[in-house]
């Protein structure tokens, strides 16, 4: 047996190559090299503070670890076929570099507390990165909302034209969803920011490892209170995956609207060439693949959440190798969400809005007609019925509401007067909205101002 196996003492025979391959996580957990080395550097300090190693040994270990970090950064680190995981790979290399002192590093530590420390360190960075990417998307949403403040679209319910709204109002709705997404991530960050290191395999350790010192060195806000919980807990991953799942529902829904809007039937927008692709057979096609992939990739993020919940739900405490399965869904989610956000920014920044193609018939002002009658004293249920009949009439005649003569209106209700035609006006309908958070230009501008304040952006007085 000439391969490096930290646990070889207990074993008489070699591991089967098939089992070696099955057991190994190095191909994906090598991504944790930085965090693994960071964690080990701090751990060397804790060992020194506990007088398990002396200053010289501490320095030697840290020097070796820093060199290994460089090897990884420069792509020089050679992974050996028998490296089980990133922790073993770094340890093997350290011992090769500095000799027996390297064998002291793992004192009082288990890969169980080590791996979850690495993962938490990694996720903390990733959450911060995704938060800033979402902020960038929000900034672009604000920019488009300011630019399109005069654009009116039909708002939809059931994908049927419902009431006119400002396009800005529509886009700003996305901003608020993303704000909730960020709050969920920040919340998850507080529960990721807990140090498990120093919990050993499950029971703690007989060495006086100062966990508070470790937390300080590794910039964790707090330490775990229970060593069993520390090595078993993957809630922070599940929470993150679930928060990302919700982010993907948002991206996917808005992607779907834009896909519909880019169809020839709607033609409200044109996706830029840079974010569309063609068909191998149909020369006329320009497909919104960017948005379709965002919609499609939401599925794998949801899948990752289910993978993780399933992996832990029947797992006896504490650690089981099942937990090694946490990394691929985690990494895949981080990469997928991050990429989808960036693509979304690209799509909305470059898409063209076909203002002249945005079409609606004035039936979307039916509620305004009904409100007109209510303001003249008619109970709403009654006015709803009256307007319903007017629409049925107009639809049958194939005319718009503004084309119905006043005499005809009066046959539906005597309450109608000449000024009814002032109400049948898209712009007026928008501006007539009185409630906070509504689609009136005033209200949307206020919304944008609030949003900018939240992002600490300068208000230019939109
Ligand atoms: N590669 C393992 C993982 O990702 C590290 C922990 C292994 N622990 C153990 N007791 N075998 O979970």
């Amino acid at each position: 047996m000439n391969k490096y196996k930290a646990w070889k003492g207990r074993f008489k025979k070699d591991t089967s190559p098939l089992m070696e391959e099955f057991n190994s996580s190095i191909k994906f957990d090598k991504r944790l090299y930085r965090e693994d080395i960071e964690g080990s550097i701090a751990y060397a300090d804790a060992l020194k503070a506990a007088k398990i190693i002396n200053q010289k040994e501490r320095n030697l270990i840290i020097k070796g670890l820093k060199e290994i970090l460089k090897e990884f950064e420069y792509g020089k680190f050679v992974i050996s076929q028998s490296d089980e995981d990133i922790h073993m790979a770094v340890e093997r290399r350290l011992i090769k570099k500095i000799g027996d002192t390297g064998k002291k590093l793992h004192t009082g530590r288990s890969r169980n507390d080590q791996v979850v420390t690495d993962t938490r360190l990694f996720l903390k960075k990733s959450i911060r990165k995704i938060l800033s990417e979402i902020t960038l998307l929000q900034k672009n949403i604000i920019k488009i909302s300011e630019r399109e403040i005069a654009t009116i679209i039909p708002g939809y319910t059931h994908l049927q034209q419902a009431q006119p709204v400002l396009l800005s109002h529509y886009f700003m709705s996305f901003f608020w969803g993303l704000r909730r997404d960020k709050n969920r991530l920040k919340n998850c960050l507080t529960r990721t920011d807990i140090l498990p290191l120093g919990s050993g395999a499950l029971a703690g350790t007989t060495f006086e490892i100062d966990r508070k010192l470790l937390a300080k060195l590794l910039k964790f806000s707090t330490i775990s209170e229970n060593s069993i919980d520390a090595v078993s807990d993957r809630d922070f991953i599940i929470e993150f995956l679930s928060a990302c799942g919700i982010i993907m529902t948002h991206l996917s829904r808005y992607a779907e609207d834009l896909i519909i809007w880019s169809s020839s039937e709607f033609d409200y927008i044109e996706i830029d060439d840079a974010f569309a692709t063609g068909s191998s057979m149909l020369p006329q096609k320009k497909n919104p693949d960017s948005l379709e992939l965002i919609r499609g990739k939401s599925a794998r993020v949801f899948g990752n959440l289910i993978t993780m919940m399933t992996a832990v739900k029947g797992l006896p405490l504490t650690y089981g190798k099942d937990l090694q399965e946490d990394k691929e869904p985690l990494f895949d989610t981080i990469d997928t969400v991050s990429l989808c956000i960036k693509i979304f920014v690209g799509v909305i920044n470059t898409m063209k809005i076909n203002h002249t193609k945005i079409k609606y018939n004035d039936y979307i002002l039916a509620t305004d007609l009904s409100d007109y009658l209510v303001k003249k004293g008619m109970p709403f249920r009654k006015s709803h019925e009256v307007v319903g009949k007017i629409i049925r009439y107009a639809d049958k005649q194939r005319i718009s509401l503004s084309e119905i003569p006043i005499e005809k209106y009066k046959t539906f209700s005597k309450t109608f007067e000449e000024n009814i035609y002032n109400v049948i006006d898209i712009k007026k309908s928008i501006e007539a909205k009185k409630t906070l958070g509504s689609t009136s230009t005033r209200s949307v501008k206020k919304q944008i101002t609030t949003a900018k304040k939240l992002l600490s952006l300068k208000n230019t007085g939109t």
Side-chain angles (χ1 to χ4, degrees):
M1 231 196 262
N2 52 11
K3 290 174 182 168
Y4 177 74
K5 284 257 159 61
W7 39 260
K8 64 173 188 276
R10 165 77 176 74
F11 290 75
K12 212 166 93 193
K13 287 204 302 186
D14 272 347
T15 321
S16 123
L18 188 62
M19 175 57 195
E20 213 159 63
E21 199 195 326
F22 188 55
N23 189 42
S24 166
S25 55
I26 189 81
K27 40 183 187 309
F28 48 85
D29 67 14
K30 61 174 184 249
R31 201 163 159 179
L32 293 172
Y33 73 85
R34 213 174 279 126
E35 292 70 26
D36 195 69
I37 292 171
E38 259 173 59
S40 285
I41 290 176
Y43 200 70
D45 272 325
L47 288 175
K48 157 75 186 35
K51 300 198 171 55
I52 296 155
I53 56 174
N54 61 34
Q55 183 72 34
K56 234 180 97 198
E57 291 171 317
R58 174 226 172 248
N59 292 349
L60 191 62
I61 290 175
I62 293 182
K63 188 169 161 277
L65 288 169
K66 286 189 174 159
E67 282 170 22
I68 298 173
L69 180 62
K70 285 226 176 77
E71 292 176 8
F72 272 107
E73 307 279 14
Y74 298 136
K76 296 260 154 56
F77 189 95
V78 186
I79 286 167
S80 137
Q81 208 211 324
S82 60
D83 282 337
E84 220 181 291
D85 54 29
I86 183 64
H87 326 293
M88 292 305 208
V90 172
E91 182 173 315
R92 169 188 59 76
R93 184 76 185 120
L94 184 68
I95 295 168
K96 179 96 197 329
K97 266 179 171 302
I98 68 167
D100 279 354
T101 308
K103 295 185 179 166
K104 293 189 175 182
L105 176 63
H106 210 55
T107 316
R109 186 171 70 167
S110 158
R111 275 184 293 161
N112 297 356
D113 57 348
Q114 185 179 0
V115 69
V116 70
T117 302
D118 294 3
T119 310
R120 284 176 182 270
L121 279 171
F122 184 86
L123 186 54
K124 276 172 63 178
K125 290 183 205 162
S126 306
I127 291 178
R128 294 203 173 102
K129 188 173 148 272
I130 294 176
L131 281 171
S132 69
E133 286 160 356
I134 298 179
T135 302
L136 185 69
L137 176 54
Q138 286 180 307
K139 284 182 184 167
N140 282 287
I141 288 168
I142 292 177
K143 196 178 80 190
I144 294 171
S145 300
E146 287 185 311
R147 194 189 70 207
E148 298 298 331
I149 194 74
T151 309
I152 297 173
I153 58 161
Y156 295 84
T157 65
H158 311 264
L159 198 54
Q160 306 287 328
Q161 296 196 354
Q163 283 184 294
V165 293
L166 292 185
L167 181 56
S168 306
H169 193 46
Y170 171 86
F171 275 122
M172 284 307 291
S173 68
F174 195 10
F175 175 94
W176 300 108
L178 292 169
R179 179 169 156 76
R180 292 192 295 277
D181 289 331
K182 289 208 295 190
N183 284 340
R184 265 183 288 271
L185 286 177
K186 285 180 196 163
N187 228 300
C188 167
L189 185 59
T190 63
R191 278 177 295 276
T192 305
D193 191 16
I194 301 171
L195 173 96
L197 196 59
S199 299
L202 79 163
T205 164
T206 54
F207 302 100
E208 288 200 46
I209 298 295
D210 183 349
R211 300 191 58 218
K212 291 196 174 138
L213 170 71
L214 281 172
K216 209 172 132 219
L217 293 172
L218 292 170
K219 299 196 174 64
F220 277 100
S221 300
T222 162
I223 63 171
S224 55
E225 298 286 346
N226 178 310
S227 59
I228 289 181
D229 181 45
V231 297
S232 313
D233 171 29
R234 295 295 184 274
D235 297 0
F236 65 103
I237 298 182
I238 296 179
E239 261 188 80
F240 173 74
L241 297 182
S242 134
C244 286
I246 302 176
I247 294 175
M248 290 306 295
T249 65
H250 290 152
L251 297 183
S252 181
R253 267 185 103 169
Y254 285 88
E256 171 65 4
D257 270 348
L258 296 184
I259 290 169
I260 294 173
W261 291 3
S262 73
S263 67
S264 330
E265 287 75 10
F266 271 74
D267 205 19
Y268 289 3
I269 57 165
E270 187 181 339
I271 309 291
D272 194 75
D273 283 4
F275 289 94
T277 57
S279 155
S280 57
M281 180 180 166
L282 315 168
Q284 85 281 15
K285 293 292 287 294
K286 179 158 148 186
N287 298 326
D289 298 39
S290 47
L291 297 165
E292 290 173 308
L293 279 171
I294 289 173
R295 191 178 57 190
K297 281 177 191 291
S298 62
R300 64 196 281 166
V301 174
F302 305 159
N304 288 340
L305 171 63
I306 298 299
T307 300
M308 209 38 223
M309 293 208 285
T310 314
V312 294
K313 75 137 191 123
L315 184 63
L317 271 75
T318 54
Y319 180 86
K321 201 57 172 264
D322 319 41
L323 290 180
Q324 181 163 285
E325 291 292 310
D326 63 358
K327 280 162 220 68
E328 284 169 297
L330 177 64
F331 295 156
D332 182 64
T333 300
I334 293 169
D335 295 342
T336 304
V337 168
S338 168
L339 193 56
C340 288
I341 297 171
K342 285 189 263 192
I343 293 285
F344 218 112
V345 170
V347 172
I348 62 172
N349 259 339
T350 54
M351 71 187 184
K352 201 172 116 230
I353 296 170
N354 298 330
H355 295 94
T356 54
K357 298 282 181 58
I358 299 174
K359 46 192 174 295
Y360 33 78
N361 77 33
D362 64 4
Y363 296 179
I364 60 174
L365 301 173
T367 319
D368 298 277
L369 277 195
S370 156
D371 289 355
Y372 170 94
L373 294 173
V374 168
K375 281 171 192 161
K376 287 181 172 271
M378 190 183 285
F380 175 72
R381 270 293 152 250
K382 176 84 185 120
S383 67
H384 185 287
E385 195 191 329
V386 170
V387 177
K389 285 181 181 151
I390 297 174
I391 297 288
R392 182 143 50 91
Y393 164 79
D395 193 33
K396 208 168 152 219
Q397 303 295 313
R398 304 235 157 259
I399 55 173
S400 68
L401 291 177
S402 57
E403 283 166 341
I404 305 177
I406 184 67
E407 300 73 43
K408 189 68 202 174
Y409 271 114
K410 283 189 185 290
T411 64
F412 288 102
S413 165
K414 291 201 176 57
T415 324
F416 282 117
E417 290 175 62
E418 218 20 86
N419 62 3
I420 184 61
Y421 297 104
N422 295 339
V423 173
I424 311 169
D425 180 302
I426 296 283
K427 275 208 177 72
K428 285 205 179 108
S429 163
I430 297 265
E431 306 309 348
K433 301 293 179 300
K434 298 255 172 25
T435 44
L436 292 174
S438 72
T439 193
S440 69
T441 307
R442 215 173 115 244
S443 177
V444 174
K445 281 184 176 174
K446 204 165 149 235
Q447 221 186 115
I448 295 175
T449 306
T450 310
K452 284 172 113 177
K453 269 199 201 117
L454 289 169
L455 297 189
S456 319
L457 295 177
K458 266 212 207 87
N459 268 307
T460 45
T462 6

